[in-house]
Amino acid sequence: QVQLVESGGGLVQAGGSLRLSCAASGSIFSIRAMRWYRQAPGKQRVLVASSTSGGGTNYADSVKGRFTISRDNAENTVYLQMNSLKPEDTAVYYCNLIIVRTASDAERNYWGQGTQVTVSS
């Protein structure tokens, strides 16, 4: 069994910063990819940032230059550093990990519980 626990959301003024964390625990052989999504009220969930096991990263145009995804392989944790926050960044943020639980297992998709980020103007 694998569990993801998110933390770090909250209320911040425009221009401020937050760092989200997503810690994975349980039977983990390998984490193939790490992603952060967000979902604003009344809108679809969208991909914000992603990181592959090879270290490559990608960002949505709306957050490029402001958000940074990183990972601590030893702790099975992924982070999203969010700087220069804007009111339009307000959303529930979800981490999404593609995990292989054993050497012979298939890739499985896991989601965090979501954490609210609210940016006031």
Side-chain angles (χ1 to χ4, degrees):
Q1 188 74 0
V2 173
Q3 289 187 327
L4 305 185
V5 177
E6 296 185 36
S7 60
L11 173 63
V12 64
Q13 288 188 332
S17 298
L18 285 173
R19 189 176 81 154
L20 306 183
S21 300
C22 175
S25 62
S27 177
I28 299 172
F29 175 75
S30 172
I31 299 177
R32 298 294 172 82
M34 296 179 166
R35 302 164 184 150
W36 285 97
Y37 288 77
R38 69 185 181 188
Q39 186 167 19
K43 296 188 177 181
Q44 290 187 330
R45 191 174 299 186
V46 296
L47 181 63
V48 173
S50 62
S51 173
T52 66
S53 58
T57 57
N58 283 288
Y59 298 93
D61 288 342
S62 59
V63 307
K64 279 181 181 177
R66 299 189 298 121
F67 289 12
T68 303
I69 187 171
S70 61
R71 57 195 290 173
D72 183 334
N73 291 325
E75 297 295 329
N76 289 328
T77 300
V78 61
Y79 302 97
L80 185 68
Q81 178 68 43
M82 305 185 294
N83 299 328
S84 302
L85 282 162
K86 305 175 181 180
E88 51 263 44
D89 294 319
T90 295
V92 178
Y93 284 71
Y94 298 90
C95 62
N96 171 235
L97 273 59
I98 308 301
I99 292 173
V100 176
R101 296 184 301 175
T102 68
S104 58
D105 197 11
E107 294 181 348
R108 298 174 188 267
N109 199 18
Y110 293 92
W111 289 89
Q113 80 279 14
T115 186
Q116 176 70 46
V117 171
T118 303
V119 184
S120 63
S121 58

